[in-house]
Amino acid sequence: MASKLVLVSCLLVAFWFCAIEAQTKPPIVNGLSWTFYKSSCPKVESIIQKELKKLFKKDVEQAAGLLRLHFHDCFVLGCDGSVLLNGSAGGPSEQSELPNLSLRKQAFKIVNDLRALVHKECGPVVSCSDIVAIAARDSVVLTGGPKYDVPLGRRDGVKFAEVNATFEHLVGPTANVTTILAKLARKGLDTTDAVSLSGGHTIGIGHCTSFTERLYPSQDPTLDKTFANNLKRTCPNVNTENSTFLDLRTPNEFDNRYYVDLMNRQGLFTSDQDLYTDKRTRQIVIDFAVNQTLFYEKFIIGMIKMGQLEVVTGNQGEIRNDCSFRNSDNYLVSVTDEESGSSSELR
């Protein structure tokens, strides 16, 4: 009888843990699936992670670039790969917009290289936007962050963003909490999402031009004085083109030290430090600073929610043959080359 009670108790505990896990995983939108490529490209995730593991062993800082690329893609036109597009007759490239000028050029090449590897294995069945989402997740995992599944099935969009859309939708380094919460609320993301997603700054760098207004002509009082003096040595004037790590303690490890930095008044951007200064978000910062597991849990939720913003699915988009161009742009390039008597491969 006792053994039966133990068995029942164990089953109840297991069910309880499963129920918690199910509740913490956000619902997925129609058209996406946790097993989307199970039949058409079962090795897609292992191909990407294997390649990124080799890449990060040589240059781990590329992880931050890929993570940031996913953010910048999803907040403008949704997670449709629009940030990857070069400009064409169809519209201007998001890459030329000021908020995107600091995106790592290497990140765009990495995504296209991953696309070539995946398409070689499976044919053109995996979208560039899905590759960006997987690469962002692996950038977190391979730098020590939490493992999590990514819902897949996005198609690549064929629209170009309107001019200045990046300013309207992306959170800039000088934004305060009011602006951050307002912009994320428009995307269906809440206050906890805002603070947890900001934790992506636990890896990567910040350029001097993004924070020198906190140093000159007068010093931001929310900055720790020693920290500010060190920043002034890196950025001796407002136009310095130098950069520094966003998290000085563990710059290439995905952990919760970013929030410890904020509590020590060592957040690099205004958009970072204001999360601790503002009463609406301060307690969440404290909770994440003292509990890395909690941060990981909330970060996963935020990433899954963000990764589904305005996704293109089904027949609404396409699977690009080159992440930098819409398939119709490739066709036009090919026709133009033929008419001019020149020959070139499709991009």
Side-chain angles (χ1 to χ4, degrees):
M1 182 67 178
S3 61
K4 288 184 178 179
L5 286 174
V6 170
L7 177 61
V8 171
S9 298
C10 290
L11 289 173
L12 287 173
V13 169
F15 175 78
W16 181 70
F17 277 115
C18 290
I20 288 180
E21 183 179 357
Q23 288 173 1
T24 57
K25 190 176 281 189
I28 58 176
V29 302
N30 290 334
L32 298 187
S33 166
W34 300 108
T35 57
F36 190 83
Y37 296 110
K38 184 177 181 179
S39 299
S40 61
C41 195
K43 295 182 179 179
V44 57
E45 295 189 57
S46 61
I47 291 171
I48 291 174
Q49 186 166 103
K50 182 179 179 180
E51 186 65 20
L52 290 181
K53 190 177 293 185
K54 291 190 296 184
L55 177 67
F56 296 164
K57 190 174 182 179
K58 296 178 182 177
D59 185 4
V60 69
E61 290 185 24
Q62 295 301 333
L66 290 169
L67 179 58
R68 190 164 175 237
L69 192 64
H70 186 41
F71 275 71
H72 282 235
D73 183 33
C74 289
F75 275 95
V76 181
L77 286 184
C79 310
D80 66 344
S82 63
V83 73
L84 304 173
L85 290 171
N86 288 346
S88 75
S93 171
E94 290 174 35
Q95 297 171 32
S96 63
E97 294 286 311
L98 183 61
N100 285 334
L101 292 180
S102 60
L103 288 175
R104 292 173 182 259
K105 299 302 181 185
Q106 186 66 13
F108 296 104
K109 181 180 185 303
I110 291 170
V111 170
N112 222 7
D113 289 346
L114 291 172
R115 190 268 319 155
L117 286 173
V118 171
H119 285 196
K120 182 179 180 180
E121 172 74 21
C122 306
V125 296
V126 180
S127 66
C128 296
S129 47
D130 268 350
I131 290 172
V132 170
I134 296 169
R137 185 275 310 279
D138 288 346
S139 295
V140 171
V141 173
L142 294 175
T143 52
K147 297 179 180 179
Y148 60 97
D149 294 325
V150 177
L152 300 170
R154 300 165 189 78
R155 303 275 284 188
D156 297 319
V158 295
K159 296 180 181 179
F160 283 86
E162 295 181 2
V163 175
N164 293 326
T166 53
F167 286 99
E168 180 183 353
H169 297 288
L170 291 173
V171 173
T174 62
N176 59 23
V177 164
T178 297
T179 299
I180 295 170
L181 296 184
K183 288 193 173 186
L184 269 67
R186 295 205 303 261
K187 304 293 185 182
L189 300 170
D190 60 29
T191 302
T192 301
D193 296 326
V195 181
S196 64
L197 290 174
S198 296
H201 280 179
T202 190
I203 56 175
I205 61 173
H207 297 274
C208 290
T209 51
S210 296
F211 59 83
T212 46
E213 89 286 344
R214 303 184 69 200
L215 303 174
Y216 311 106
S218 59
Q219 186 174 304
D220 185 338
T222 65
L223 270 175
D224 173 75
K225 290 183 178 180
T226 301
F227 179 61
N229 289 334
N230 289 334
L231 290 179
K232 287 178 180 178
R233 282 191 279 272
T234 302
C235 311
N237 59 66
V238 293
N239 297 316
T240 306
E241 295 184 1
N242 294 339
S243 61
T244 186
F245 290 115
L246 290 163
D247 174 3
L248 296 178
R249 288 175 170 79
T250 53
N252 294 315
E253 293 180 29
F254 196 96
D255 54 25
N256 68 333
R257 295 300 181 90
Y258 162 81
Y259 299 102
V260 176
D261 291 342
L262 301 189
M263 292 183 66
N264 289 324
R265 298 193 296 131
Q266 295 174 343
L268 194 61
F269 300 150
T270 299
S271 58
D272 295 319
Q273 193 57 55
D274 207 45
L275 294 173
Y276 183 68
T277 304
D278 195 294
K279 293 180 180 180
R280 291 171 290 180
T281 49
R282 180 185 299 162
Q283 188 57 52
I284 303 174
V285 169
I286 296 171
D287 292 342
F288 290 169
V290 299
N291 189 337
Q292 181 167 273
T293 300
L294 177 64
F295 161 51
Y296 283 174
E297 176 189 328
K298 300 302 182 184
F299 179 80
I300 290 171
I301 293 172
M303 285 294 286
I304 294 174
K305 289 168 68 174
M306 185 195 75
Q308 300 184 81
L309 293 177
E310 303 172 65
V311 291
V312 178
T313 59
N315 296 321
Q316 299 174 41
E318 64 183 13
I319 305 297
R320 290 186 201 143
N321 296 316
D322 184 316
C323 295
S324 303
F325 299 92
R326 300 176 302 177
N327 292 343
S328 58
D329 295 329
N330 281 331
Y331 172 75
L332 291 174
V333 169
S334 177
V335 170
T336 301
D337 288 343
E338 288 177 6
E339 290 177 346
S340 66
S342 65
S343 61
S344 64
E345 295 182 3
L346 291 183
R347 283 189 282 217

